[in-house]
Amino acid sequence: MKKIFLLVFSLFFVVASNFAQEKKNKKEVQQGHIDQNKFRQLKDVLATPNDQHTASGAPGSQYTQQKVDYVMDIRLEESTNKIYGDETITYHNNSKDQLDYLWVQLDQNMRADDSKTPLAKSTGASAFITPKNFQNTYMKEGKGFGFNIEKVESEGKPLSHFINRTMMRINLPNPLASGETFKFRIKWNYKINDINKDGGRSGLESFPDGNNNYTIAQFFPRLAVYNNVEGWQNMQFWGRSEWALEFGDYEVNLTVPADHIVDATGVLQNEKNVLTKTQRKRWEKARTTFDKPVMIVTQAEAEKAEKGRTSKTKTWKFKAKRVRDFAFASSRKYIWDAMATNVNGKTVMAVSLYPKEGNPLWEEHSTRAVATTLIEYSKLTFDYPYPKAISVHSERQGMEYPMICFNFGRPNPDGTYSDRTKKGMIGVIVHEVGHNFFPMIVNSDERQWTWMDEGLNSFVEILAEDVYDPVLFAGNPAKNITRYMSGDQSNISPIMSQGDYVKQFGPNAYTKPAAGLYILRKTIMGPELFDHAFRTYSKRWMFKHPTPADFFRSMEDASGMDLDWFWRGWFYTTDVNDIGIKAVKPLYLTDKPSERVAKLKEQYKQYFDGLGDLVYITDKKEDANPKAMDKYAEGKEVPSYIYSVEFEKPGGLIMPLIVELTYADGSTEKQTFPAQIWMKNDKTVKRVFASTKEIKSIKVDPDMETADVDTSNNSWPKKESKKFDEFKNKVKN
């Protein structure tokens, strides 16, 4: 064996030396280049690992994060649609740093009269416009939105602060050392926006009967994140990219009209004070009912309540531990149902609140969809740690908060609905409830990296929806993303782009990351390997602040797979996948060497003598001898059909090469070659297929698993269109 190796090496050396000498004789000067191979490592892109964010993708021994606790008294004034708040904040400096100031988010200021958000949009004049739109666009009047900060104080003394649009800097009286806490108070109020008229992520929906549905979030001044990656995450809120928040404990008293039904982040502390005996009895039944929702407030009761009004109030008290935010919903119109959900032996309550306008769709599906989401997400990540998950119906919303979310999906006024409406409603519930996992627990920075919560969540959503209704949600994410990826490159952004300047936000942050992870799981890694790695990442970063590098590194660390080529191509570029068949050449066994081989045998006689007996492969059918291998076959059937296939890759993305062979007898065989087949040449590769049966056709990516944007080159023989066949027949006739 060593002798043959040396002969082969010597032959290669001679040929290479001759080639080099020819280049030298021509006196060509070649320019050097850097490594541009698409399998090169991501070390030039990812942040340098350290003792806080390690090279394995796990939190390091020196990882720290802040804690912020809130005690709040909130009053919802229905007559003026205003919220009044008084909050005491306790800030825990767990970092190693001394802090001179704190940054507080004032998200409601995004819609204030002096907001810069409308001015940051390029607008042109329309040739026609409705009078109402003209008035709203060119005759604007101030609406008085935004926070009114009444007091900022500590220990009863005014606290120096400065408001910069959607951020407020709290100037500390003394530097806050590592390990110390600082307690201060903010008193404030603001006017609630009408979601359908004024827009917004939260607010109120008004009904013709004079009632409102209040779905309230971003309603209080909240501490920005201070971490060991960004320092203060105090980027302005422009209305799109969402939030970076710290975990903490909440005690919230919500004072609302006495005839309202309320639910919120956390556990209700005073059921006896705010619920009737009948409601409490039904709620207790729901706690032990796992097969179907139990009605806590029926539709008939909700319809009766919405006809009344009261000037009295009730205060609902909630406590929440280890949450990054707080939201609530309040209305006298609510129907309320709930059921118990078994998450690996722990009972979690799945809850829905909705006005009659949501029925019958919501009564049939909302709470069941919540329960399915909790179970399926827990399988792929970690057991859901909170006591409940609530789905609240609002006509035009889809927003998420710890333990509670607001969702659209409304049937027609007569109660009928299409499959499209049903699919949209179930889909948004699964998606928004799923956000409890990403980013409410795996707490990524939404302001910077939208895909880290939306994309990961959209991926797990696909798997959960398939369990809920595999017929309604049948689809192929890899195939569906090709239209977006093959679009105008000037209107596409890499996934790894900050959310505010991303083009085509939905496909970029939601569907492309989800499709990529779907391909990674189904085609590249396989479910078993992928699921272990994904669970590892999720558990590592529960209740912590991961970065993109932590995700990429964890997936590789827990799987034993080098995926840098995938992250680089799918996440950092807008390259597309296009793999096709360039040429197919039938080959034949023979006992006759070709003229070229005969010359080589004569030139390198010693090498060939060392190889012993030989059979040959030729592309000349007339020289074929199918029996040339018979005496060496040792009773095994010799492949009589040999095909040399050259595959091309016009697209810039690297993907596995999936090939389906269809034989003359109608049987098929699929062969998958790993992405690494493109390591040496990412333009073309060759493979030889040998079979005892004639191959009638070859197809690349037959099930459309790899997001191939152009399938016209995927088949051999090349398929011609029906119109072209008709044209040929006309010419022939």
Side-chain angles (χ1 to χ4, degrees):
M1 189 71 181
K2 182 177 180 182
K3 182 179 179 182
I4 294 175
F5 171 79
L6 290 173
L7 286 169
V8 173
F9 180 81
S10 299
L11 178 62
F12 170 80
F13 182 80
V14 169
V15 174
S17 297
N18 290 339
F19 177 77
Q21 187 62 43
E22 289 176 9
K23 286 285 188 182
K24 186 176 181 181
N25 292 339
K26 292 179 181 178
K27 295 183 179 179
E28 293 182 358
V29 177
Q30 296 189 64
Q31 298 296 320
H33 63 278
I34 62 172
D35 182 8
Q36 289 297 318
N37 190 288
K38 292 184 178 178
F39 287 87
R40 69 192 185 277
Q41 297 296 284
L42 272 176
K43 291 181 174 63
D44 60 330
V45 175
L46 299 184
T48 302
N50 52 47
D51 55 9
Q52 298 160 17
H53 295 260
T54 67
S56 70
S61 60
Q62 299 302 308
Y63 176 84
T64 63
Q65 67 184 39
Q66 312 295 63
K67 183 175 185 282
V68 188
D69 299 327
Y70 298 83
V71 177
M72 295 192 286
D73 290 310
I74 306 299
R75 178 166 58 91
L76 170 63
E77 189 174 83
E78 188 176 33
S79 60
T80 60
N81 286 328
K82 294 187 74 172
I83 286 180
Y84 294 85
D86 195 339
E87 62 183 306
T88 299
I89 302 169
T90 303
Y91 189 87
H92 303 256
N93 183 14
N94 297 327
S95 75
K96 306 293 185 182
D97 307 325
Q98 176 178 286
L99 302 179
D100 295 321
Y101 44 77
L102 309 177
W103 280 101
V104 176
Q105 303 182 55
L106 302 177
D107 302 305
Q108 291 297 329
N109 286 357
M110 186 275 295
R111 63 175 56 86
D113 293 339
D114 61 351
S115 172
K116 302 295 184 183
T117 296
L119 305 180
K121 299 175 182 178
S122 175
T123 59
S126 176
F128 58 90
I129 190 171
T130 66
K132 184 176 181 180
N133 284 342
F134 185 92
Q135 188 176 33
N136 291 338
T137 304
Y138 302 114
M139 302 170 64
K140 283 185 176 181
E141 294 182 5
K143 295 186 177 181
F145 292 135
F147 279 111
N148 297 310
I149 304 297
E150 300 176 37
K151 288 183 180 180
V152 181
E153 61 183 25
S154 178
E155 298 180 343
K157 298 177 181 179
L159 191 58
S160 171
H161 62 280
F162 181 84
I163 296 176
N164 177 15
R165 295 154 54 195
T166 62
M167 288 287 169
M168 177 167 64
R169 188 183 67 242
I170 304 294
N171 302 314
L172 297 173
N174 299 294
L176 187 64
S178 175
E180 292 185 344
T181 62
F182 181 72
K183 183 180 288 189
F184 63 105
R185 175 192 178 202
I186 304 177
K187 189 177 181 182
W188 48 267
N189 68 77
Y190 77 87
K191 180 182 176 183
I192 305 171
N193 55 297
D194 187 316
I195 295 167
N196 294 335
K197 297 176 182 177
D198 307 309
R201 303 297 188 91
S202 67
L204 66 87
E205 176 190 357
S206 57
F207 290 86
D209 62 10
N211 281 296
N212 292 327
N213 174 17
Y214 296 95
T215 48
I216 306 299
Q218 293 90 248
F219 67 94
F220 61 100
R222 305 177 294 174
L223 262 294
V225 165
Y226 181 84
N227 64 23
N228 41 37
V229 175
E230 299 287 340
W232 282 107
Q233 170 47 290
N234 55 7
M235 296 174 69
Q236 292 289 328
F237 178 48
W238 292 96
R240 178 198 271 181
S241 293
E242 294 176 354
W243 300 281
L245 298 162
E246 301 283 13
F247 288 103
D249 301 333
Y250 286 73
E251 293 184 29
V252 183
N253 301 320
L254 297 171
T255 300
V256 301
D259 53 357
H260 276 211
I261 295 295
V262 174
D263 214 339
T265 302
V267 177
L268 181 61
Q269 302 296 301
N270 60 335
E271 288 184 10
K272 291 182 180 180
N273 301 111
V274 294
L275 302 183
T276 66
K277 289 183 179 180
T278 300
Q279 291 166 352
R280 287 166 53 203
K281 185 177 180 180
R282 292 169 179 171
W283 179 249
E284 287 302 321
K285 181 181 178 181
R287 284 184 168 125
T288 57
T289 302
F290 292 85
D291 58 342
K292 62 181 179 180
V294 174
M295 303 305 300
I296 314 299
V297 175
T298 67
Q299 180 164 333
E301 291 166 344
E303 289 179 352
K304 181 180 179 180
E306 71 181 14
K307 295 175 182 177
R309 293 291 186 279
T310 181
S311 58
K312 296 180 180 180
T313 62
K314 281 184 180 178
T315 298
W316 298 60
K317 299 184 177 184
F318 292 89
K319 284 187 178 181
K321 296 286 186 181
R322 215 177 186 186
V323 294
R324 60 164 244 170
D325 202 357
F326 189 97
F328 71 93
S330 181
S331 180
R332 65 176 56 85
K333 289 178 66 67
Y334 285 150
I335 302 164
W336 179 12
D337 71 51
M339 66 182 284
T341 305
N342 184 350
V343 179
N344 286 335
K346 176 187 176 182
T347 297
V348 178
M349 297 305 297
V351 183
S352 293
L353 299 174
Y354 46 97
K356 68 177 186 296
E357 286 78 5
N359 264 344
L361 190 57
W362 274 69
E363 183 175 318
E364 293 171 354
H365 292 287
S366 178
T367 298
R368 290 181 171 89
V370 173
T372 297
T373 305
L374 297 176
I375 293 168
E376 295 306 314
Y377 272 68
S378 294
K379 290 178 182 177
L380 203 63
T381 57
F382 42 76
D383 291 353
Y384 183 72
Y386 294 136
K388 66 182 179 182
I390 315 157
S391 170
V392 184
H393 177 47
S394 180
E395 185 179 21
R396 296 181 185 176
Q397 281 193 283
M399 276 304 300
E400 71 280 357
Y401 307 94
M403 306 185 216
I404 187 170
C405 56
F406 312 143
N407 305 308
F408 62 76
R410 183 166 293 179
N412 299 318
D414 63 359
T416 61
Y417 55 85
S418 64
D419 279 348
R420 181 178 180 181
T421 298
K422 175 183 173 182
K423 182 178 181 180
M425 174 260 197
I426 295 171
V428 74
I429 291 174
V430 173
H431 182 88
E432 305 304 346
V433 173
H435 270 307
N436 276 286
F437 296 81
F438 308 99
M440 300 303 153
I441 297 169
V442 182
N443 191 14
S444 56
D445 182 350
E446 299 177 273
R447 188 65 50 88
Q448 287 271 20
W449 308 116
T450 308
W451 70 267
M452 282 197 75
D453 71 290
E454 297 295 357
L456 269 63
N457 182 41
S458 296
F459 159 68
V460 187
E461 175 194 347
I462 293 169
L463 305 183
E465 288 170 345
D466 185 62
V467 172
Y468 190 85
D469 192 332
V471 175
L472 187 66
F473 289 97
N476 182 344
K479 177 183 177 182
N480 296 341
I481 199 62
T482 57
R483 183 176 180 182
Y484 162 71
M485 293 181 69
S486 61
D488 180 4
Q489 280 287 323
S490 67
N491 196 36
I492 299 176
S493 304
I495 292 173
M496 285 294 294
S497 301
Q498 196 271 328
D500 287 323
Y501 62 76
V502 159
K503 298 178 180 179
Q504 300 194 68
F505 187 71
N508 174 279
Y510 292 69
T511 50
K512 186 183 175 186
L517 296 178
Y518 186 86
I519 294 169
L520 201 59
R521 183 178 190 264
K522 177 179 175 59
T523 304
I524 297 172
M525 298 177 70
E528 185 176 3
L529 202 58
F530 178 95
D531 291 356
H532 173 75
F534 196 79
R535 273 192 296 270
T536 298
Y537 163 74
S538 301
K539 289 181 178 180
R540 280 178 172 178
W541 290 98
M542 286 180 70
F543 301 109
K544 294 182 176 68
H545 301 299
T547 67
D550 296 320
F551 175 66
F552 298 149
R553 286 170 169 150
S554 288
M555 291 297 292
E556 296 189 21
D557 181 69
S559 68
M561 291 189 71
D562 177 9
L563 299 169
D564 281 15
W565 59 271
F566 181 79
W567 310 130
R568 188 185 293 276
W570 195 269
F571 284 81
Y572 284 90
T573 79
T574 60
D575 280 344
V576 300
N577 178 41
D578 180 15
I579 300 174
I581 300 171
K582 186 175 183 180
V584 177
K585 182 184 289 188
L587 302 174
Y588 308 93
L589 272 173
T590 180
D591 50 7
K592 299 178 182 179
S594 67
E595 184 177 338
R596 182 177 65 86
V597 173
K599 288 181 178 179
L600 285 173
K601 287 183 70 175
E602 183 178 346
Q603 186 177 358
Y604 302 103
K605 187 175 185 302
Q606 184 181 5
Y607 166 72
F608 280 95
D609 286 347
L611 295 178
D613 292 347
L614 297 174
V615 293
Y616 305 94
I617 297 176
T618 181
D619 58 358
K620 295 181 179 179
K621 191 173 183 179
E622 61 271 20
D623 291 339
N625 179 7
K627 297 183 179 181
M629 263 294 296
D630 285 1
K631 63 180 179 179
Y632 310 107
E634 300 178 350
K636 298 177 183 178
E637 190 174 6
V638 177
S640 50
Y641 296 94
I642 304 173
Y643 303 82
S644 175
V645 184
E646 184 176 9
F647 299 94
E648 62 180 349
K649 193 177 70 61
L653 276 184
I654 300 294
M655 279 288 163
L657 172 60
I658 306 172
V659 182
E660 184 180 70
L661 309 174
T662 300
Y663 297 103
D665 63 1
S667 62
T668 61
E669 177 189 0
K670 186 188 289 186
Q671 297 186 27
T672 299
F673 304 92
Q676 283 72 17
I677 195 172
W678 305 102
M679 289 181 79
K680 299 292 181 62
N681 184 343
D682 72 350
K683 299 300 180 186
T684 62
V685 295
K686 291 182 180 179
R687 293 295 304 184
V688 175
F689 300 91
S691 173
T692 58
K693 298 182 290 186
E694 181 183 4
I695 296 176
K696 297 298 291 184
S697 65
I698 304 173
K699 191 171 186 179
V700 169
D701 195 12
D703 299 319
M704 305 190 76
E705 298 178 46
T706 63
D708 194 320
V709 300
D710 180 7
T711 59
S712 66
N713 58 354
N714 285 30
S715 300
W716 173 86
K718 187 174 182 179
K719 290 185 178 180
E720 295 170 342
S721 68
K722 184 177 179 182
K723 288 184 177 180
F724 187 67
D725 288 339
E726 293 172 353
F727 173 75
K728 285 198 304 183
N729 290 332
K730 285 181 180 180
V731 173
K732 185 177 179 181
N733 296 330

